[in-house]
Amino acid sequence: YDTARCPVNPATGLRPNFRNLTGDTPAGIPKWTVSGSATINHDFGNDYSGYARVEYDYVSKTQLTETVPPNLNSY
């Protein structure tokens, strides 16, 4: 839990219900995501058929948690 940006209220001992993330990128959201796929089907006759499928997925480095500096916790 991010106690630096969301400290415990000393008067009540409670954490606030929300925090201001203005200007921050929440963890788990990559800057870039690209997906693509292609499928080819072929009928060989005599009740035989087949297909081939290729997929590609790319995800840019993603911050895994908000409580550690981004340069230490990117995947």
Side-chain angles (χ1 to χ4, degrees):
Y1 192 79
D2 187 356
T3 57
R5 292 185 295 173
C6 194
V8 172
N9 183 337
T12 64
L14 300 174
R15 293 184 181 112
N17 294 327
F18 63 91
R19 63 184 173 160
N20 185 355
L21 294 175
T22 303
D24 289 346
T25 301
I29 301 174
K31 184 173 183 176
W32 295 100
T33 302
V34 177
S35 296
S37 66
T39 304
I40 185 168
N41 297 307
H42 185 72
D43 184 11
F44 294 105
N46 295 329
D47 293 329
Y48 291 101
S49 63
Y51 71 94
R53 180 175 176 93
V54 176
E55 296 186 25
Y56 176 78
D57 293 311
Y58 170 79
V59 177
S60 62
K61 285 188 175 183
T62 305
Q63 183 175 337
L64 301 176
T65 179
E66 295 167 352
T67 58
V68 178
N71 61 328
L72 299 177
N73 73 356
S74 294
Y75 167 72

